[in-house]
Amino acid sequence: MKKSCNCKSSESEQDYFSPPVFNGPADGILRSTTQIGPAHFSVKLESYSKLYERIGEKYESGIFEQGGHKWRLCFYPKGNSKTGGDGHISLYLQLADTLTLASCGWEVLAKFEFFILDQHRGNYLNIKESGETRRCFQHTKTEWGLAKLLSLEIFNDVSNGYLVGDCCILGAEVYVTKNTGRMQECFSFIDEPIGNSYTWEIEKFSTLDKNYYESQPFIAQGNTWKLRIHPKGDRLQAKGGLSAFLHWVHDGGPLSDDKVYAEYKLSVKNQLGHNLQENTGKRWFSTSTNCWGWCEFISRDNLKDSSKGFVVEDRLILEAEIVLTSTTKRLP
């Protein structure tokens, strides 16, 4: 007769623990088992019960570097209630070098996966968002993660192996798919910009025989300008009078789409009195249209009439004033 026996088999103790069964990614989270641990960072949390009772809302790990950036894990042992994590543990990846990114408007696109060590079986629970999900980290949104990483019921059950001997081990892998140096642009208007006036004294005016002449450059609020005149007029509508233009000197390439707005005055000084021959304009200056003005700024008759005072001792004085201009600041 065979005797009955209630002794245990020779299989190792860990084989008596049945791994938890997870449903499919109905919650948008994919959970699977892997023998390979996290390649980029792990943190061992000992005295977990004290952490749960005393740490407060979250625990922040030390910084680790991956993909050219600094990161840390943010662990919520009671769940992040602000994002619906009640009844769960929550885990987030936080971008730690935000001061650098904020100063230059950068974004970091990254995918990440979380790990929890099953201490009974020696494998890891791999947890990630389902699908090909990339998250955009920037200075206004530094944390991305999973509010419902794992239910507290499953996590606290010692037989599952995630919390054993008041200790758990968490990890993460981070894959930076793109660093984007997003261009930031700040546009504004400046009244009476710095260096907004310029005077050009043109000697021997009657001897000028070229089609046009340009002044020396002057700078107003960071933009470089020149004055341009056509002594005998530009185009037929000038009728031999003086043509005068404001020219934006653009230092970008020919395919650049840079532009600047200006409200400006051009005037020929009356050297015998206080009256000016003055015209005002308001225009956008661009790489394709960088010169604006008047084909007949002052008539030929007024130039020749010495009593008008516009040409005295064969000298003409042209003045420019940038009344208002736009500024566009860009951070690369």
Side-chain angles (χ1 to χ4, degrees):
M1 177 182 291
K2 293 183 179 180
K3 296 181 179 181
S4 62
C5 180
N6 60 2
C7 66
K8 296 180 180 179
S9 69
S10 60
E11 292 177 308
S12 62
E13 183 180 358
Q14 69 179 25
D15 292 329
Y16 286 89
F17 296 109
S18 299
V21 177
F22 298 102
N23 296 324
D27 56 359
I29 300 175
L30 184 63
R31 300 175 179 90
S32 61
T33 301
T34 177
Q35 296 293 326
I36 302 174
H40 299 149
F41 183 73
S42 65
V43 55
K44 183 177 182 181
L45 300 176
E46 298 179 333
S47 304
Y48 180 82
S49 59
K50 291 185 174 62
L51 173 73
Y52 185 88
E53 294 170 0
R54 301 179 183 180
I55 198 63
E57 183 181 35
K58 69 177 177 180
Y59 166 80
E60 294 185 350
S61 76
I63 290 175
F64 66 98
E65 295 191 18
Q66 176 59 28
H69 296 282
K70 296 179 180 179
W71 310 87
R72 62 163 52 95
L73 290 182
C74 296
F75 177 58
Y76 294 74
K78 299 179 182 180
N80 186 358
S81 59
K82 295 178 181 178
T83 55
D86 293 322
H88 295 74
I89 58 172
S90 304
L91 189 58
Y92 290 79
L93 179 67
Q94 182 187 87
L95 184 63
D97 51 1
T98 53
L99 290 178
T100 300
L101 300 183
S103 66
C104 59
W106 278 57
E107 295 175 343
V108 178
L109 301 183
K111 295 176 64 176
F112 52 88
E113 302 177 8
F114 296 132
F115 296 78
I116 305 178
L117 176 63
D118 180 343
Q119 300 174 61
H120 291 320
R121 301 165 188 83
N123 55 30
Y124 291 85
L125 179 64
N126 175 250
I127 310 172
K128 59 186 177 181
E129 293 180 287
S130 60
E132 295 297 321
T133 304
R134 295 186 301 172
R135 293 299 186 182
C136 179
F137 293 82
Q138 53 186 315
H139 70 281
T140 56
K141 177 65 175 175
T142 61
E143 285 187 14
W144 287 99
L146 301 176
K148 296 181 178 181
L149 185 81
L150 202 60
S151 72
L152 286 172
E153 180 182 0
I154 293 177
F155 179 73
N156 290 327
D157 188 339
V158 175
S159 67
N160 291 327
Y162 304 130
L163 182 60
V164 177
D166 208 23
C167 170
C168 69
I169 299 174
L170 309 171
E173 290 184 352
V174 184
Y175 303 94
V176 176
T177 58
K178 187 178 182 183
N179 289 330
T180 60
R182 182 185 61 196
M183 182 71 74
Q184 287 186 324
E185 180 174 291
C186 179
F187 178 85
S188 61
F189 286 112
I190 305 295
D191 288 304
E192 298 182 358
I194 299 171
N196 69 323
S197 60
Y198 178 77
T199 300
W200 183 19
E201 296 190 9
I202 305 168
E203 305 286 349
K204 299 180 181 179
F205 179 75
S206 63
T207 66
L208 302 181
D209 56 1
K210 294 182 180 179
N211 181 35
Y212 70 90
Y213 293 82
E214 289 186 339
S215 72
Q216 293 296 314
F218 65 99
I219 298 175
Q221 202 69 38
N223 284 300
T224 303
W225 305 89
K226 288 183 180 181
L227 296 179
R228 175 182 292 180
I229 63 166
H230 295 253
K232 307 301 181 183
D234 177 46
R235 304 176 187 172
L236 294 176
Q237 59 264 43
K239 301 177 183 178
L242 176 74
S243 300
F245 302 92
L246 180 64
H247 176 214
W248 178 46
V249 182
H250 178 246
D251 55 4
L255 299 180
S256 172
D257 62 353
D258 290 347
K259 59 184 179 180
V260 61
Y261 177 83
E263 295 181 5
Y264 54 95
K265 297 179 183 178
L266 295 186
S267 59
V268 175
K269 184 176 181 180
N270 185 332
Q271 301 174 60
L272 301 179
H274 299 290
N275 295 324
L276 299 174
Q277 175 67 38
E278 180 181 273
N279 285 341
T280 61
K282 49 180 70 176
R283 292 288 186 178
W284 280 101
F285 293 77
S286 65
T287 52
S288 58
T289 310
N290 60 2
C291 196
W292 287 102
W294 295 267
C295 291
E296 187 180 30
F297 186 81
I298 187 170
S299 70
R300 180 172 55 181
D301 291 340
N302 281 338
L303 287 172
K304 289 183 175 181
D305 188 344
S306 60
S307 67
K308 300 289 187 179
F310 297 124
V311 179
V312 175
E313 296 180 355
D314 210 17
R315 180 178 63 179
L316 181 139
I317 301 175
L318 183 62
E319 296 177 334
E321 180 183 358
I322 309 295
V323 179
L324 178 144
T325 188
S326 66
T327 63
T328 303
K329 296 180 181 179
R330 292 181 178 177
L331 295 174

